[in-house]
């Protein structure tokens, strides 16, 4: 495939996201996206519009066209292995114990629910979004468990197993996916009124979430911890997506599956990592640094990676 065509393809994935993120920054400076609005909108996305998007994506997906369930199993295994490797590296090379969990979480915990789904939607439309929804839901559960484990080991405390299980059971994204499964498996048709109303909420998700992400970015927070921030950024944006995609290619996943795997694994660090770090009394500045650098860096690394994969015919 022509290199120019591949570059245009990659820009069609990341370009709109970059524009909306920049708009979020500009609107914040103009006073149109105050902190109170951003905080309320983020809750609306997580509790209402994103679950609606995942629910409708799965309901509208043909199971015969779904990516292999082995892709989800591979994503879970790859995430767990990556987490264990990062834990070993942090214990070996990071002297300050309290920084280890923040580094590990910032490296493995990607923002798949917002930016990952946006990447997939721009690349494959509805067909890819339904398959990615299952992947995102499964890996999100593992993300939450591993994040609690690494921060607890690093910062101290013992939350116990019960709060983790309770948090997973009450997670709106997981509930939306589970609610959609019977409709997809048994072919139950949803009333058009429900589909249309749900679409109104679902269509709000990505633009609203990306605007809030842009408004929440603070380059002023980039101070101190430059080395750890750099290492976490390289792990999040380069090492993890490269190794996961390479492993998937060796296993023999289809180009569509490889594309989904690459796009959801090349996402920046999830904003929830900052919230958890701050709540547990960790270095929230380091957490914010990692989120900011990976969010901006992901636009470049994903564009280049998508262009290369498309040029090689590995993205379907």
């Amino acid at each position: 495939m022509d290199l120019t065509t591949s570059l245009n393809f990659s820009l069609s994935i990341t370009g709109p996201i970059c524009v909306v993120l920049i708009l979020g920054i500009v609107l914040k400076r103009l006073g149109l996206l105050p902190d109170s609005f951003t905080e309320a909108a983020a809750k609306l996305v997580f509790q209402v519009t994103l679950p609606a998007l995942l629910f409708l994506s799965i309901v509208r997906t043909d199971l015969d066209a779904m990516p292999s369930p082995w892709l989800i199993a591979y994503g879970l295994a790859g995430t767990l292995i990556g987490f264990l490797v990062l834990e070993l590296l942090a214990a070996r090379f990071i002297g300050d114990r309290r920084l280890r969990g923040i580094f590990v979480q910032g490296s493995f915990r990607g923002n798949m629910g917002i930016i990952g789904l946006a990447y997939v939607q721009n690349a494959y439309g509805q067909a890819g979004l339904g398959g990615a929804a299952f992947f995102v839901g499964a890996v999100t559960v593992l993300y939450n468990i591993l994040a609690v484990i690494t921060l607890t080991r690093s910062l101290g405390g013992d939350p116990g197993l019960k709060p983790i299980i309770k948090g997973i059971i009450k997670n709106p994204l997981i509930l939306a996916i589970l609610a959609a499964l019977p409709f997809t498996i048994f072919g139950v048709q949803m009333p058009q009124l429900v589909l249309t109303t749900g679409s109104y909420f679902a269509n709000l998700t990505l633009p609203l979430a990306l605007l809030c992400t842009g408004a929440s970015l603070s380059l002023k927070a980039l101070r101190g911890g430059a080395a750890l921030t750099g290492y976490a950024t390289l792990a999040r944006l380069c090492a993890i997506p490269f190794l996961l995609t390479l492993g998937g290619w060796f296993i023999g996943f289809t180009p569509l599956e490889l594309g989904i795997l690459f796009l959801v694994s090349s996402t920046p660090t999830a904003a929830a990592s900052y919230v958890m770090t701050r709540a547990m009394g960790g270095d929230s500045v380091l957490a914010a640094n990692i989120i900011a650098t990976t969010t901006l860096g992901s636009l470049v690394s994903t564009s280049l990676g998508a262009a290369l994969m498309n040029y090689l015919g590995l993205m379907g």
Side-chain angles (χ1 to χ4, degrees):
M1 183 175 291
D2 182 74
L3 182 59
T4 302
T5 303
S6 297
L7 288 173
N8 288 334
F9 172 75
S10 68
L11 289 177
S12 71
I13 298 173
T14 59
I17 295 170
C18 180
V19 171
V20 179
L21 286 174
I22 293 173
L23 280 174
I25 297 173
V26 173
L27 293 176
K28 172 68 178 296
R29 290 181 176 273
L30 293 175
L32 297 177
L33 290 178
D35 292 337
S36 57
F37 173 84
T38 302
E39 182 177 349
K43 290 181 180 179
L44 178 67
V45 168
F46 180 71
Q47 297 179 4
V48 179
T49 69
L50 183 54
L53 175 64
L54 292 175
F55 178 87
L56 290 179
S57 297
I58 293 173
V59 166
R60 292 169 172 169
T61 299
D62 182 0
L63 284 179
D64 293 333
M66 287 285 293
S68 166
W70 290 108
L71 179 66
I72 297 176
Y74 175 78
L76 292 172
T79 299
L80 181 58
I81 292 172
F83 169 80
L84 295 175
V85 171
L86 287 166
E87 280 281 312
L88 292 174
L89 291 175
R92 175 68 176 81
F93 296 106
I94 301 177
D96 188 344
R97 181 184 181 90
R98 292 182 60 81
L99 298 179
R100 294 174 185 170
I102 302 169
F103 164 79
V104 172
Q105 181 187 213
S107 298
F108 82 83
R109 191 177 190 180
N111 189 354
M112 296 187 304
I114 300 300
I115 296 184
L117 290 179
Y119 284 160
V120 173
Q121 185 179 57
N122 289 346
Y124 300 111
Q126 184 62 41
L129 200 57
F134 283 102
F135 188 100
V136 167
V139 178
T140 294
V141 173
L142 185 58
Y143 274 175
N144 290 330
I145 296 173
L146 297 181
V148 171
I149 291 174
T150 189
L151 288 177
T152 301
R153 280 168 46 86
S154 174
L155 301 174
D158 182 17
L161 185 61
K162 186 176 179 179
I164 298 176
I165 296 176
K166 184 179 179 180
I168 293 171
I169 293 175
K170 295 176 66 175
N171 188 300
L173 310 186
I174 306 303
L175 293 177
I177 293 172
L178 292 177
L181 284 177
F183 294 95
T184 302
I185 294 173
F186 299 110
V188 180
Q189 293 295 319
M190 295 285 293
Q192 189 59 44
L193 175 64
V194 175
L195 292 175
T196 302
T197 305
S199 295
Y200 290 155
F201 288 99
N203 292 339
L204 283 174
T205 302
L206 298 180
L208 184 59
L210 292 172
L211 281 174
C212 291
T213 301
S216 301
L217 283 178
S218 176
L219 298 182
K220 293 180 179 179
L222 292 176
R223 62 182 187 277
L228 278 185
T229 299
Y231 292 139
T233 300
L234 288 174
R236 177 67 251 151
L237 301 183
C238 299
I240 289 176
F242 173 75
L243 292 174
L244 277 177
T245 307
L246 182 64
W249 178 72
F250 274 117
I251 289 176
F253 288 134
T254 67
L256 172 62
E257 292 167 342
L258 286 177
I260 291 175
L261 183 62
F262 168 74
L263 291 173
V264 298
S265 66
S266 64
T267 54
T269 301
S273 64
Y274 171 83
V275 176
M276 287 189 64
T277 298
R278 186 168 182 174
M280 297 183 69
D283 188 342
S284 58
V285 172
L286 175 60
N289 287 350
I290 295 173
I291 293 170
T293 55
T294 54
T295 299
L296 298 175
S298 175
L299 298 171
V300 177
S301 61
T302 305
S303 296
L304 295 176
L308 178 61
M309 289 185 63
N310 191 57
Y311 180 72
L312 297 174
L314 298 177
M315 284 196 68

